[in-house]
Amino acid sequence: MTRIFSGVKPTGHLTLGNYLGAVRRWSDVDQHRADALFCVVDLHALTVDHDPGRVRRLSRQAATLLLAAGLDPGLCTVFVQSHVDEHARLSYVLECVATDGEMRRMIQYREKAARERERGGSVRLSLLTYPVLMAADILAYGTDEVPVGDDQTQHVELTRDLATRFNQRYGHTFAVPRATRPVVAARVMNLQEPTSKMGKSDDVGPGVVYLLDEPEVVRKKIMRAVTDSGQDLVYDREARPGISNLLEILAACAGGNPEALSGVYESYGALKKDTAEAVVELLKPVQERHKELCADPAYVEGVLRIGAEKARAMARPRVDAAYQAIGLLAAG
């Protein structure tokens, strides 16, 4: 059976982009067709300056939202990365296979390091090496498929390279995974800056729809979305990023085609109104289920505990095999 691994980083509140680009597919498709693992990758949140209490709160919130979005512990494994030691164990071994040049070529590292330096901050070593930890997350489970957005494709390619290199040098140990991407709304853009991704780490909220935003907040943000010059409602990602973003969001919510929808509307206002209502309706059941789960924290804790036990049992034999293959003595 195909094995899938993917995760969310608790660096901010989950957004509409996270849901449409990843989480909804995990719930509607992936957990039903594969042996699927979904993880709150909290160790990745430590690569930049952070508040420890906030990381814990966001980790719990992310796990609760994954369940509220429809992930079923009876069908898939839901857990927190730091609860399974094999991630950190394998990460160091893979660092001994990766090269400094590979790490410094990672686009996300270059962009994030540049922003950190502009703020006058120091760049943590973990920011440079976190793609190796991501590779460990994936390879520990014999993963076949990794559902990711365009911005993470380079990291999956690195994972493939590390798996192949390890297998060639030390004997076949890891499956070589492949990246998979949804067809529509793989990358929902910021409503105020439609050439930038709608990221959960953004500190500014007007362009970001969060999964827990109240309906009126959702409507206000979408009605104030930046559009493009000119009156023609044409779907063109390059020339008309604002209108194209709205069309993709509406298409993803309503199950339509953004190009076909572009011919339906004669005004920005009508498109924005329909998009806002579609998003409100999409988020309503997720928000209702989230409230129910927040009232039963013991259930969520139990899911994460059992999920970590299942994940640990899957990962440990492969990580132990990697330790032996690379030359480490087996523990007595």
Side-chain angles (χ1 to χ4, degrees):
M1 191 175 188
T2 299
R3 179 163 288 173
I4 291 173
F5 178 94
S6 199
V8 294
K9 185 166 58 174
T11 51
H13 302 286
L14 294 187
T15 72
L16 177 67
N18 298 130
Y19 184 69
L20 291 179
V23 177
R24 184 173 65 170
R25 180 178 173 83
W26 299 351
S27 173
D28 292 351
V29 178
D30 292 335
Q31 68 174 342
H32 298 283
R33 71 176 180 87
D35 181 8
L37 298 98
F38 301 111
C39 181
V40 178
V41 287
D42 54 345
L43 294 175
H44 291 291
L46 310 185
T47 60
V48 295
D49 189 34
H50 63 277
D51 174 68
R54 185 170 187 265
V55 171
R56 282 190 290 270
R57 289 192 300 274
L58 289 175
S59 296
R60 177 179 290 277
Q61 184 187 87
T64 305
L65 278 169
L66 291 181
L67 297 174
L71 293 188
D72 183 349
L75 296 174
C76 64
T77 305
V78 181
F79 67 105
V80 176
Q81 180 190 30
S82 64
H83 294 177
V84 180
D85 293 345
E86 279 63 32
H87 291 256
R89 288 181 62 208
L90 182 56
S91 182
Y92 179 75
V93 166
L94 293 177
E95 284 185 15
C96 298
V97 178
T99 68
D100 176 76
E102 285 176 316
M103 297 299 97
R104 296 188 186 278
R105 284 194 296 272
M106 294 291 108
I107 294 171
Q108 285 208 7
Y109 168 73
R110 297 205 304 267
E111 292 177 346
K112 291 180 179 180
R115 288 197 297 268
E116 194 65 35
R117 293 188 184 101
E118 287 174 2
R119 289 195 293 261
S122 57
V123 180
R124 300 187 181 194
L125 178 61
S126 56
L127 184 63
L128 177 66
T129 60
Y130 97 88
V132 179
L133 176 58
M134 181 177 171
D137 299 337
I138 297 165
L139 297 180
Y141 297 100
T143 302
D144 300 300
E145 295 182 11
V146 188
V148 292
D150 293 340
D151 58 329
Q152 293 292 334
T153 302
Q154 187 184 34
H155 292 159
V156 179
E157 289 304 314
L158 173 69
T159 301
R160 290 172 54 85
D161 291 343
L162 294 180
T164 300
R165 190 178 307 154
F166 190 101
N167 291 344
Q168 290 173 345
R169 291 181 180 177
Y170 306 113
H172 186 79
T173 307
F174 299 115
V176 180
R178 63 185 179 276
T180 59
R181 289 177 292 279
V183 176
V184 177
R187 202 174 191 201
V188 177
M189 311 306 277
N190 189 295
L191 295 172
Q192 293 298 315
E193 300 178 27
T195 57
S196 300
K197 181 183 174 183
M198 185 183 285
K200 62 180 178 295
S201 300
D202 293 345
D203 294 326
V204 181
V208 181
V209 174
Y210 298 102
L211 294 189
L212 296 179
D213 277 348
E214 295 291 335
E216 284 309 309
V217 174
V218 173
R219 293 186 181 100
K220 184 180 294 186
K221 288 179 176 179
I222 293 177
M223 293 305 294
R224 294 180 177 177
V226 168
T227 50
D228 314 294
S229 60
Q231 296 301 312
D232 294 335
L233 275 71
V234 178
Y235 178 72
D236 186 331
R237 263 293 184 190
E238 296 298 321
R240 310 296 294 276
I243 195 69
S244 297
N245 189 37
L246 291 172
L247 288 166
E248 286 208 6
I249 292 171
L250 179 58
C253 291
N257 179 286
E259 292 188 24
L261 285 171
S262 67
V264 173
Y265 293 93
E266 297 181 354
S267 71
Y268 289 133
L271 172 60
K272 288 181 176 181
K273 183 178 179 181
D274 283 1
T275 302
E277 293 307 316
V279 172
V280 167
E281 288 303 308
L282 181 77
L283 298 185
K284 184 178 179 181
V286 177
Q287 294 178 350
E288 290 176 349
R289 179 58 177 153
H290 178 263
K291 290 180 182 178
E292 294 173 359
L293 291 170
C294 286
D296 189 7
Y299 172 77
V300 177
E301 291 171 4
V303 168
L304 296 179
R305 182 178 63 255
I306 293 171
E309 291 171 356
K310 289 172 60 179
R312 197 175 301 119
M314 283 187 265
R316 182 164 294 169
R318 189 168 288 100
V319 176
D320 285 348
Y323 267 52
Q324 182 175 357
I326 205 169
L328 301 177
L329 286 174

